[in-house]
Amino acid sequence: MKQILAQCLLCTLAIPLAASAGSHMRSGGEGFVSIGLSTDVGDNRIFDKSGNAITGSCNPGQSLNAYGEYGWSYYTTVFASGSLRHEDCARGEQWGLEDGEIGVARRIDPFRNTWVWEASLLLPSSLLGNQSSSHDAIGVSAGLHYHPRANPYDLTNEINPLQPKWDFGADIKGWFDDTPLEGSVYAQYTLPLQATDWNLGRGGWSASARLEYSQSLGGTHATTPYAVDSHDAFRQLEASLSLRHAISPNEGLSIGLQTTLAGKNTDGTSSIGISYEKTFPK
Amino acid sequence: MKKHFLNKLLIALAIGFTLIQGAQAETANTSATHAVAPSGYDLSGGAPVASTELRLEMDAQDAEVLFRKEPFDRSSFPVRLTNGADSAAGEIAIKGSFSRRYLKKSLLITLPKGQTWQGHRRIALNAMATDPTQAREWLTWDLARALGMRIPQTAYKRLYLNGRYIGLYLDIEWMDDAMFDRLALSNGEFYQPNDNTYCGDFLPANAPRTSICWQKIFPAGGDMSALDALGKALNDIPVESFDTWLDEHFDAQSVIDWLVINTVTQNGDTYNKNYFLHYAPAEHKWRVIPWDYDLSWGRVADNAQGFPKNIHNEFFQYVYPPVIGAENPLKTKTLKNPRLYARFQARLKEVLTPGNTPASGWFEPTRFQRLLADIKALVEPSLAQEAYPAQQPGAASAHFDALAFFNEWRHHTLKGLLLEPSPFDTPRWLPYTSYDPLTPVTPESLKQRRTQAMDLMANEVLAAPGKKTPFMEKLLAYPLAFATLREGQAPVKLTVETDREAAPTSLPAGKSASQCIERTWFVTLKSEQPARIDLQFDYLHESSTRHELGHAIQDESRLILWRHDGKTWQETGATLNPVANYFSVAAQSMEPGVLNRYVACQ
């Protein structure tokens, strides 16, 4: 079974898009951590080489996900993610580290968090002896994020605390093995449902919806009904929904749902999860 | 025929007051381009208030990023302070809350432990970007100092960064152990309401939320039991014995002086935020230190608008009573206890009346205008050179004039409202807090325009030429106008009436009520000989829901004051300050017994 590079689903959705320094960029000295627990739901679904959904043989698995960011300085934020996965498939139950990532993010415009680029090292769990990893060597990723926001110095218009926000991004990944490059693009829409007002002791609520499309850039054609080899070409369209509640000025709780809407040679199992996040101001 | 409906007026005013009670910060007008009225207040010829230079050096990109980055980023950057001979290295970061939304940022420089710069390890520089005059904070601290309050040292600093002039800043001494040692108040506990939650008001509902509503600055650790005990006592002690309790547990004078400052400056942005509490174990007493007055002195929060327009606006008022601001038992019980209220009145009288103490007559208009002229002499040349100007060139002049207007009109308002005998059995403003609103206050009702049509009248005698005389409506202590005899046989009897918040019933040809201020001024000379009189009139523009602007008025600066002298309508040539909403008109020829009618139209 091809193992898609583990993503901290609920960590991604739980990144506060209105954080003090903006998404992906932290103030110098500021830290952020998100811990989440997710579980597969429904059948072990796989999209075969023709895009047909078929049922695999695994029982629902669970993941413990961790994501962190730290403002190394005003100009550079470092981030890292990792997860632990429990699987129960034909070969038996097993726990194992999933592939991890460590990277840096920087602004393109030195004054705004609107455009952010990032570069990261992809750390396959095979380095720790995990045989189910898709990759045998480390990889690198380069990405670009776009967070369109109003000019914060415009005082002529009322600020609507329930103003929806869009975020966009794209990245490309490559490994120092013979697996194909991967590219992805995403769009995320966040809708505040209730404004935060700590004077009333009230943390706000927001809902997010995200669509992400990924595919291999090259790769061999699968010869079996479903992908067993990470060298095979794949594509997938994933959707996720999440609901976040601010439980204190620096803490949030999120629940979410992720599913693969369509794909080829890819895992299509849905999952739900919960995550807790905390910001550590400087 | 004028009518006075006393009860109706009081109830109507109570409704209006209840709706503004709890109003927070006031406004900043950073876009005014209005020229100062030539016959406004003469603030020329001042000797610049003292200031010193502060020179910083930083990486060039850091220097630009510091001012232009996302407002709520909390990064710090390396910085070097230098005066040519000496230097010190530290970190610089942005400080403040709403003021972060201006490019000219307030700054905090922190030096490593063990190092100081001119005796201080931290240098806090207030940008004053929200105040077009850059005077409000300095004035308030000067008043607090004159009252003898134990407060930080403050001074104007001209800030240079990498040789570039950034602007005028107010250096406010950082409140740490060093400051409290200087004040002989060592080893205490120090608290501040949390600016993000603004619930530091000691109301019972917020008692379980001390850790959210307050920050403990020192000593380290989360033990807020002393503050919790203070909050409980503030709510438990009855009004009747509050004076005894306050004298025992507080530097009571600091509380009274705080209330006097808030009353003089008309500060509503406090009592749940913007103040500090220090507990001195040697005295077993708490003490108030006031904080943050840039958005007071005439500015008004508009509850009908969302952020930031609720505080970044052009509204103006000068008549609010002492209870303005959030509810807080420390304020309420001090003002309701008769003995403490008497001490408050005495202190306020000291500030309003010339005498032989440092605070005597601090707010008296002649003295205040001299002080304002000195500040203006420093600020205006600096504004022209600032790196990140928060207002258009020349706009400050109208705002300085507005401050002078605020001082003069509020001085007389406070005298009438708080010090002069009242026809009621209570202070004049207490009915404001005694009446329940006749209509419920809801978020929807806050956005609806409210009018309180009133006919008010005042009779005064202009005793001598050149003496400016206020015309105060005696029951409500409302100033209606100021008049100065320019030519004529003194004494001159004059009557001024105002039909307020009602469309004028008579207008110049071609004008419609929607183009005009919803106020008519009537002036009648009651003496037997003609006279020429200078007049000052104001109108209401307090918020988006409390104003007298006809709906067709797009630009207040285009308002023209007209006069009907019993024969014809004529333009008066009056000058207007649309920041303070007042007209000055010179040398009005008055004939005995003739009713002169004034209206203002675009």
Side-chain angles (χ1 to χ4, degrees):
Chain A
M1 167 68 68
K2 172 175 165 42
Q3 179 180 349
I4 306 300
L5 175 64
Q7 288 187 1
C8 182
L9 156 69
L10 294 168
C11 300
T12 305
L13 292 176
I15 293 172
L17 298 175
S20 59
S23 202
H24 295 97
M25 294 305 301
R26 294 278 153 192
S27 300
E30 180 184 72
F32 169 82
V33 168
S34 176
I35 307 288
L37 190 61
S38 61
T39 183
D40 296 342
V41 293
D43 292 333
N44 172 214
R45 188 173 61 167
I46 301 165
F47 289 98
D48 69 11
K49 63 173 182 169
S50 302
N52 300 311
I54 59 178
T55 302
S57 60
C58 292
N59 292 320
Q62 293 79 37
S63 291
L64 180 65
N65 312 299
Y67 176 82
E69 292 177 348
Y70 176 71
W72 189 262
S73 73
Y74 168 78
Y75 299 98
T76 302
T77 292
V78 296
F79 62 90
S81 67
S83 58
L84 197 62
R85 175 128 181 109
H86 169 251
E87 284 188 337
D88 182 10
C89 299
R91 57 177 177 273
E93 275 192 75
Q94 61 177 10
W95 283 90
L97 275 176
E98 303 255 278
D99 296 347
E101 182 178 15
I102 181 166
V104 297
R106 287 179 65 97
R107 298 174 184 80
I108 292 176
D109 176 345
F111 309 124
R112 298 293 309 279
N113 296 336
T114 312
W115 286 97
V116 174
W117 67 263
E118 64 179 36
S120 60
L121 274 179
L122 308 173
L123 306 172
S125 56
S126 60
L127 295 180
L128 296 174
N130 184 353
Q131 300 303 313
S132 65
S133 174
S134 303
H135 303 282
D136 301 321
I138 62 174
V140 292
S141 170
L144 191 65
H145 301 278
Y146 175 52
H147 311 293
R149 301 286 184 269
N151 179 359
Y153 295 104
D154 177 10
L155 296 174
T156 59
N157 295 307
E158 285 186 25
I159 292 172
N160 178 7
L162 301 179
Q163 176 74 36
K165 299 179 178 61
W166 281 99
D167 298 275
F168 306 93
D171 69 26
I172 188 165
K173 299 181 175 69
W175 286 262
F176 292 99
D177 57 21
D178 54 2
T179 54
L181 295 176
E182 294 178 15
S184 67
V185 294
Y186 75 86
Q188 180 164 322
Y189 180 77
T190 301
L191 176 66
L193 302 173
Q194 183 184 62
T196 293
D197 188 340
W198 294 117
N199 177 246
L200 301 176
R202 186 182 74 199
W205 290 86
S206 63
S208 295
R210 179 181 173 118
L211 269 182
E212 181 163 351
Y213 175 75
S214 313
Q215 73 168 64
S216 56
L217 305 173
T220 56
H221 293 291
T223 55
T224 54
Y226 54 89
V228 294
D229 193 312
S230 54
H231 297 79
D232 294 330
F234 82 94
R235 59 175 187 257
Q236 65 186 32
L237 178 66
E238 291 178 301
S240 46
L241 299 172
S242 72
L243 185 66
R244 179 182 182 272
H245 175 52
I247 56 178
S248 83
N250 293 315
E251 295 171 292
L253 211 56
S254 298
I255 57 171
L257 160 73
Q258 179 191 26
T259 190
T260 304
L261 299 174
K264 283 189 177 179
N265 292 327
T266 187
D267 183 89
T269 307
S270 302
S271 64
I272 59 172
I274 184 167
S275 72
Y276 164 81
E277 69 187 49
K278 186 174 171 88
T279 300
F280 300 88
K282 180 179 177 181
Chain B
M1 169 76 71
K2 309 171 298 298
K3 295 178 184 174
H4 294 282
F5 296 102
L6 177 60
N7 287 340
K8 181 178 172 184
L9 284 174
L10 287 174
I11 292 169
L13 287 167
I15 295 169
F17 175 68
T18 304
L19 289 171
I20 63 175
Q21 200 171 17
Q24 292 195 17
E26 286 91 6
T27 180
N29 178 355
T30 60
S31 61
T33 57
H34 315 294
V36 67
S39 57
Y41 296 87
D42 182 6
L43 301 177
S44 62
V49 166
S51 65
T52 56
E53 283 186 1
L54 182 63
R55 291 187 173 266
L56 307 178
E57 291 173 0
M58 293 173 70
D59 171 83
Q61 181 168 50
D62 288 354
E64 206 176 346
V65 163
L66 182 68
F67 292 93
R68 297 176 59 189
K69 62 188 172 80
E70 299 281 356
F72 293 94
D73 177 271
R74 296 187 181 277
S75 305
S76 61
F77 303 88
V79 68
R80 177 166 290 276
L81 300 97
T82 175
N83 62 6
D86 300 316
S87 68
E91 292 278 310
I92 187 168
I94 304 303
K95 73 178 192 77
S97 181
F98 174 67
S99 62
R100 288 169 171 268
R101 293 184 180 269
Y102 293 79
L103 283 174
K104 185 190 176 193
K105 301 286 197 294
S106 292
L107 305 168
L108 175 63
I109 300 167
T110 305
L111 301 180
K113 279 187 183 169
Q115 291 191 31
T116 61
W117 176 259
Q118 297 174 350
H120 300 285
R121 185 177 160 234
R122 287 187 176 88
I123 296 108
L125 300 171
N126 190 323
M128 307 176 289
T130 57
D131 175 10
T133 62
Q134 299 183 353
R136 285 168 164 84
E137 284 276 345
W138 191 97
L139 285 166
T140 308
W141 289 113
D142 190 66
L143 172 58
R145 197 165 299 112
L147 288 166
M149 292 189 83
R150 285 156 120 174
I151 54 171
Q153 292 170 327
T154 59
Y156 278 121
K157 288 278 197 286
R158 302 188 305 280
L159 183 69
Y160 291 83
L161 177 54
N162 295 343
R164 182 189 186 198
Y165 184 62
I166 302 299
L168 197 65
Y169 279 75
L170 190 67
D171 181 351
I172 304 177
E173 183 183 16
W174 190 256
M175 289 189 273
D176 57 8
D177 288 345
M179 186 194 88
F180 287 105
D181 286 346
R182 178 177 68 77
L183 296 174
L185 294 172
S186 302
N187 302 319
E189 294 185 33
F190 196 40
Y191 298 88
Q192 177 188 21
N194 188 329
D195 209 39
N196 294 320
T197 57
Y198 48 100
C199 52
D201 49 22
F202 293 115
L203 294 181
N206 290 320
R209 304 170 63 207
T210 307
S211 61
I212 292 174
C213 296
W214 289 86
Q215 293 172 342
K216 187 175 183 183
I217 301 170
F218 60 77
D223 177 10
M224 294 195 179
S225 55
L227 196 67
D228 286 332
L230 174 64
K232 185 174 188 309
L234 283 170
N235 284 287
D236 290 347
I237 303 297
V239 169
E240 297 73 32
S241 54
F242 196 70
D243 55 337
T244 306
W245 181 88
L246 197 70
D247 282 327
E248 186 178 334
H249 294 90
F250 259 86
D251 172 356
Q253 194 61 49
S254 73
V255 177
I256 290 168
D257 289 344
W258 181 42
L259 297 182
V260 166
I261 291 172
N262 290 338
T263 299
V264 166
T265 63
Q266 194 180 266
N267 182 26
D269 187 22
T270 186
Y271 303 120
N272 57 1
K273 55 184 278 199
N274 290 335
Y275 68 102
F276 292 84
L277 285 175
H278 180 265
Y279 179 73
E283 300 174 353
H284 300 290
K285 287 193 177 180
W286 292 90
R287 175 174 282 101
V288 173
I289 297 177
W291 189 253
D292 201 356
Y293 287 80
D294 63 323
L295 301 179
S296 56
W297 294 89
R299 297 181 176 165
V300 182
D302 185 4
N303 293 331
Q305 299 194 80
F307 183 84
K309 292 176 90 170
N310 57 339
I311 51 179
H312 180 79
N313 58 51
E314 297 184 0
F315 304 124
F316 187 87
Q317 187 50 284
Y318 57 88
V319 298
Y320 294 151
V323 292
I324 189 177
E327 281 296 310
N328 183 315
L330 185 57
K331 170 186 72 169
T332 309
K333 290 186 179 179
T334 299
L335 293 175
K336 282 188 172 176
N337 176 282
R339 289 163 291 285
L340 288 173
Y341 184 71
R343 288 158 66 177
F344 164 79
Q345 277 184 303
R347 196 62 150 160
L348 182 69
K349 185 175 181 181
E350 182 183 349
V351 173
L352 299 183
T353 313
N356 55 8
T357 68
S360 296
W362 189 94
F363 200 61
E364 188 277 324
T366 306
R367 171 177 167 172
F368 185 85
Q369 287 171 36
R370 282 201 301 271
L371 185 54
L372 204 56
D374 291 345
I375 297 174
K376 189 177 183 215
L378 171 68
V379 168
E380 278 197 323
S382 169
L383 284 172
Q385 302 167 41
E386 286 204 339
Y388 301 100
Q391 56 189 303
Q392 296 188 21
S397 196
H399 288 272
F400 273 102
D401 188 75
L403 262 185
F405 173 91
F406 173 86
N407 159 253
E408 184 169 59
W409 286 56
R410 185 154 181 83
H411 177 268
H412 290 279
T413 299
L414 290 177
K415 278 179 64 177
L417 200 62
L418 294 167
L419 301 182
E420 288 171 358
S422 160
F424 315 117
D425 197 26
T426 59
R428 273 191 174 85
W429 52 271
L430 271 185
Y432 291 17
T433 59
S434 302
Y435 282 87
D436 291 329
L438 296 180
T439 53
V441 177
T442 64
E444 294 71 32
S445 71
L446 279 176
K447 294 184 192 303
Q448 293 171 359
R449 183 163 174 211
R450 292 160 281 127
T451 57
Q452 299 167 3
M454 287 190 282
D455 302 348
L456 303 177
M457 184 187 73
N459 301 296
E460 292 293 342
V461 172
L462 306 183
K467 185 176 184 299
K468 196 173 183 185
T469 302
F471 282 67
M472 305 291 294
E473 199 286 333
K474 296 288 190 282
L475 286 173
L476 301 171
Y478 260 30
L480 305 186
F482 278 68
T484 308
L485 177 63
R486 182 176 279 232
E487 284 177 29
Q489 182 69 43
V492 164
K493 290 184 186 176
L494 205 66
T495 297
V496 173
E497 303 174 38
T498 60
D499 281 3
R500 305 160 87 96
E501 299 187 63
T505 54
S506 173
L507 288 171
K511 299 296 179 187
S512 65
S514 63
Q515 298 173 287
C516 300
I517 295 293
E518 293 170 356
R519 180 178 293 199
T520 305
W521 300 267
F522 302 92
V523 181
T524 307
L525 179 66
K526 295 286 178 75
S527 298
E528 293 181 352
Q529 300 294 325
R532 285 159 65 82
I533 297 170
D534 296 345
L535 294 164
Q536 250 184 8
F537 297 134
D538 81 316
Y539 59 90
L540 177 69
H541 193 188
E542 176 184 313
S543 70
S544 59
T545 56
R546 289 284 293 128
H547 64 84
E548 290 176 315
L549 272 59
H551 65 81
I553 296 175
Q554 301 297 324
D555 180 1
E556 268 178 81
S557 65
R558 292 174 50 209
L559 287 169
I560 293 172
L561 188 69
W562 292 78
R563 171 190 171 192
H564 192 283
D565 61 358
K567 303 189 187 90
T568 60
W569 281 106
Q570 294 174 348
E571 292 187 20
T572 60
T575 49
L576 166 67
N577 186 324
V579 175
N581 311 316
Y582 82 92
F583 290 96
S584 290
V585 58
Q588 297 291 283
S589 294
M590 304 262 166
E591 294 295 327
V594 174
L595 180 75
N596 297 275
R597 180 192 293 259
Y598 291 84
V599 297
C601 301
Q602 191 172 272

PDB file of all heavy atoms in Angstrom, chain A residues 77-93:
ATOM      1  N   THR A  77      10.695  31.734  10.385  1.00  0.00           N
ATOM      2  CA  THR A  77       9.964  30.827  11.268  1.00  0.00           C
ATOM      3  C   THR A  77      10.372  29.410  10.923  1.00  0.00           C
ATOM      4  O   THR A  77      10.452  29.061   9.744  1.00  0.00           O
ATOM      5  CB  THR A  77       8.451  30.997  11.083  1.00  0.00           C
ATOM      6  OG1 THR A  77       8.072  32.284  11.573  1.00  0.00           O
ATOM      7  CG2 THR A  77       7.662  29.937  11.829  1.00  0.00           C
ATOM      8  N   VAL A  78      10.659  28.607  11.921  1.00  0.00           N
ATOM      9  CA  VAL A  78      10.960  27.198  11.675  1.00  0.00           C
ATOM     10  C   VAL A  78       9.739  26.384  12.072  1.00  0.00           C
ATOM     11  O   VAL A  78       8.986  26.760  12.973  1.00  0.00           O
ATOM     12  CB  VAL A  78      12.211  26.733  12.451  1.00  0.00           C
ATOM     13  CG1 VAL A  78      13.449  27.480  11.957  1.00  0.00           C
ATOM     14  CG2 VAL A  78      12.039  26.926  13.938  1.00  0.00           C
ATOM     15  N   PHE A  79       9.544  25.289  11.351  1.00  0.00           N
ATOM     16  CA  PHE A  79       8.401  24.437  11.666  1.00  0.00           C
ATOM     17  C   PHE A  79       8.799  22.972  11.542  1.00  0.00           C
ATOM     18  O   PHE A  79       9.799  22.643  10.898  1.00  0.00           O
ATOM     19  CB  PHE A  79       7.210  24.759  10.763  1.00  0.00           C
ATOM     20  CG  PHE A  79       7.470  24.535   9.295  1.00  0.00           C
ATOM     21  CD1 PHE A  79       7.201  23.298   8.698  1.00  0.00           C
ATOM     22  CD2 PHE A  79       7.973  25.553   8.500  1.00  0.00           C
ATOM     23  CE1 PHE A  79       7.431  23.097   7.350  1.00  0.00           C
ATOM     24  CE2 PHE A  79       8.205  25.353   7.153  1.00  0.00           C
ATOM     25  CZ  PHE A  79       7.938  24.120   6.575  1.00  0.00           C
ATOM     26  N   ALA A  80       8.022  22.139  12.185  1.00  0.00           N
ATOM     27  CA  ALA A  80       8.297  20.708  12.140  1.00  0.00           C
ATOM     28  C   ALA A  80       6.997  19.969  12.373  1.00  0.00           C
ATOM     29  O   ALA A  80       6.098  20.448  13.061  1.00  0.00           O
ATOM     30  CB  ALA A  80       9.335  20.308  13.190  1.00  0.00           C
ATOM     31  N   SER A  81       6.917  18.800  11.760  1.00  0.00           N
ATOM     32  CA  SER A  81       5.741  17.972  12.007  1.00  0.00           C
ATOM     33  C   SER A  81       6.152  16.512  12.034  1.00  0.00           C
ATOM     34  O   SER A  81       7.181  16.118  11.473  1.00  0.00           O
ATOM     35  CB  SER A  81       4.682  18.194  10.929  1.00  0.00           C
ATOM     36  OG  SER A  81       5.149  17.706   9.684  1.00  0.00           O
ATOM     37  N   GLY A  82       5.351  15.732  12.710  1.00  0.00           N
ATOM     38  CA  GLY A  82       5.582  14.301  12.772  1.00  0.00           C
ATOM     39  C   GLY A  82       4.338  13.627  13.280  1.00  0.00           C
ATOM     40  O   GLY A  82       3.429  14.265  13.816  1.00  0.00           O
ATOM     41  N   SER A  83       4.271  12.336  13.066  1.00  0.00           N
ATOM     42  CA  SER A  83       3.119  11.626  13.607  1.00  0.00           C
ATOM     43  C   SER A  83       3.453  10.174  13.850  1.00  0.00           C
ATOM     44  O   SER A  83       4.414   9.627  13.304  1.00  0.00           O
ATOM     45  CB  SER A  83       1.910  11.758  12.680  1.00  0.00           C
ATOM     46  OG  SER A  83       2.215  11.264  11.398  1.00  0.00           O
ATOM     47  N   LEU A  84       2.648   9.596  14.687  1.00  0.00           N
ATOM     48  CA  LEU A  84       2.749   8.196  15.049  1.00  0.00           C
ATOM     49  C   LEU A  84       1.477   7.524  14.561  1.00  0.00           C
ATOM     50  O   LEU A  84       0.380   8.016  14.812  1.00  0.00           O
ATOM     51  CB  LEU A  84       2.845   8.110  16.574  1.00  0.00           C
ATOM     52  CG  LEU A  84       3.354   6.831  17.213  1.00  0.00           C
ATOM     53  CD1 LEU A  84       4.778   6.549  16.790  1.00  0.00           C
ATOM     54  CD2 LEU A  84       3.291   6.977  18.735  1.00  0.00           C
ATOM     55  N   ARG A  85       1.600   6.399  13.869  1.00  0.00           N
ATOM     56  CA  ARG A  85       0.413   5.792  13.282  1.00  0.00           C
ATOM     57  C   ARG A  85       0.257   4.363  13.761  1.00  0.00           C
ATOM     58  O   ARG A  85       1.237   3.619  13.862  1.00  0.00           O
ATOM     59  CB  ARG A  85       0.524   5.815  11.765  1.00  0.00           C
ATOM     60  CG  ARG A  85      -0.606   5.098  11.045  1.00  0.00           C
ATOM     61  CD  ARG A  85      -1.241   5.989   9.980  1.00  0.00           C
ATOM     62  NE  ARG A  85      -2.334   5.258   9.325  1.00  0.00           N
ATOM     63  CZ  ARG A  85      -3.612   5.560   9.496  1.00  0.00           C
ATOM     64  NH1 ARG A  85      -3.953   6.548  10.294  1.00  0.00           N
ATOM     65  NH2 ARG A  85      -4.549   4.864   8.863  1.00  0.00           N
ATOM     66  N   HIS A  86      -0.983   4.044  14.002  1.00  0.00           N
ATOM     67  CA  HIS A  86      -1.344   2.669  14.345  1.00  0.00           C
ATOM     68  C   HIS A  86      -2.123   2.086  13.175  1.00  0.00           C
ATOM     69  O   HIS A  86      -3.118   2.662  12.740  1.00  0.00           O
ATOM     70  CB  HIS A  86      -2.203   2.636  15.618  1.00  0.00           C
ATOM     71  CG  HIS A  86      -2.832   1.292  15.875  1.00  0.00           C
ATOM     72  ND1 HIS A  86      -4.184   1.068  15.721  1.00  0.00           N
ATOM     73  CD2 HIS A  86      -2.273   0.106  16.254  1.00  0.00           C
ATOM     74  CE1 HIS A  86      -4.447  -0.200  16.014  1.00  0.00           C
ATOM     75  NE2 HIS A  86      -3.312  -0.801  16.327  1.00  0.00           N
ATOM     76  N   GLU A  87      -1.647   0.942  12.651  1.00  0.00           N
ATOM     77  CA  GLU A  87      -2.332   0.283  11.534  1.00  0.00           C
ATOM     78  C   GLU A  87      -2.632  -1.164  11.891  1.00  0.00           C
ATOM     79  O   GLU A  87      -1.909  -1.777  12.639  1.00  0.00           O
ATOM     80  CB  GLU A  87      -1.444   0.318  10.277  1.00  0.00           C
ATOM     81  CG  GLU A  87      -1.422   1.677   9.605  1.00  0.00           C
ATOM     82  CD  GLU A  87      -0.689   1.624   8.272  1.00  0.00           C
ATOM     83  OE1 GLU A  87       0.139   0.716   8.087  1.00  0.00           O
ATOM     84  OE2 GLU A  87      -0.953   2.502   7.435  1.00  0.00           O
ATOM     85  N   ASP A  88      -3.716  -1.624  11.329  1.00  0.00           N
ATOM     86  CA  ASP A  88      -4.108  -3.031  11.525  1.00  0.00           C
ATOM     87  C   ASP A  88      -4.468  -3.595  10.155  1.00  0.00           C
ATOM     88  O   ASP A  88      -5.609  -3.568   9.732  1.00  0.00           O
ATOM     89  CB  ASP A  88      -5.289  -3.106  12.497  1.00  0.00           C
ATOM     90  CG  ASP A  88      -5.694  -4.555  12.775  1.00  0.00           C
ATOM     91  OD1 ASP A  88      -4.957  -5.481  12.367  1.00  0.00           O
ATOM     92  OD2 ASP A  88      -6.760  -4.756  13.403  1.00  0.00           O
ATOM     93  N   CYS A  89      -3.469  -4.094   9.461  1.00  0.00           N
ATOM     94  CA  CYS A  89      -3.668  -4.588   8.112  1.00  0.00           C
ATOM     95  C   CYS A  89      -3.345  -6.086   8.050  1.00  0.00           C
ATOM     96  O   CYS A  89      -3.128  -6.711   9.087  1.00  0.00           O
ATOM     97  CB  CYS A  89      -2.793  -3.803   7.124  1.00  0.00           C
ATOM     98  SG  CYS A  89      -3.191  -2.047   7.079  1.00  0.00           S
ATOM     99  N   ALA A  90      -3.292  -6.579   6.859  1.00  0.00           N
ATOM    100  CA  ALA A  90      -3.081  -8.019   6.695  1.00  0.00           C
ATOM    101  C   ALA A  90      -1.808  -8.485   7.372  1.00  0.00           C
ATOM    102  O   ALA A  90      -1.739  -9.580   7.929  1.00  0.00           O
ATOM    103  CB  ALA A  90      -3.051  -8.355   5.209  1.00  0.00           C
ATOM    104  N   ARG A  91      -0.827  -7.649   7.368  1.00  0.00           N
ATOM    105  CA  ARG A  91       0.448  -8.077   7.963  1.00  0.00           C
ATOM    106  C   ARG A  91       0.436  -7.936   9.486  1.00  0.00           C
ATOM    107  O   ARG A  91       1.440  -8.218  10.132  1.00  0.00           O
ATOM    108  CB  ARG A  91       1.601  -7.291   7.363  1.00  0.00           C
ATOM    109  CG  ARG A  91       1.464  -5.778   7.510  1.00  0.00           C
ATOM    110  CD  ARG A  91       2.698  -5.060   6.946  1.00  0.00           C
ATOM    111  NE  ARG A  91       2.540  -3.628   7.018  1.00  0.00           N
ATOM    112  CZ  ARG A  91       1.956  -2.897   6.085  1.00  0.00           C
ATOM    113  NH1 ARG A  91       1.469  -3.457   4.991  1.00  0.00           N
ATOM    114  NH2 ARG A  91       1.843  -1.597   6.222  1.00  0.00           N
ATOM    115  N   GLY A  92      -0.710  -7.473  10.030  1.00  0.00           N
ATOM    116  CA  GLY A  92      -0.826  -7.398  11.474  1.00  0.00           C
ATOM    117  C   GLY A  92      -0.810  -5.976  11.981  1.00  0.00           C
ATOM    118  O   GLY A  92      -0.615  -5.038  11.231  1.00  0.00           O
ATOM    119  N   GLU A  93      -1.049  -5.847  13.292  1.00  0.00           N
ATOM    120  CA  GLU A  93      -1.051  -4.501  13.891  1.00  0.00           C
ATOM    121  C   GLU A  93       0.359  -3.987  14.019  1.00  0.00           C
ATOM    122  O   GLU A  93       1.286  -4.750  14.350  1.00  0.00           O
ATOM    123  CB  GLU A  93      -1.653  -4.567  15.293  1.00  0.00           C
ATOM    124  CG  GLU A  93      -3.162  -4.480  15.320  1.00  0.00           C
ATOM    125  CD  GLU A  93      -3.659  -4.261  16.730  1.00  0.00           C
ATOM    126  OE1 GLU A  93      -3.527  -3.124  17.224  1.00  0.00           O
ATOM    127  OE2 GLU A  93      -4.155  -5.231  17.332  1.00  0.00           O
TER     128      GLU A  93
END
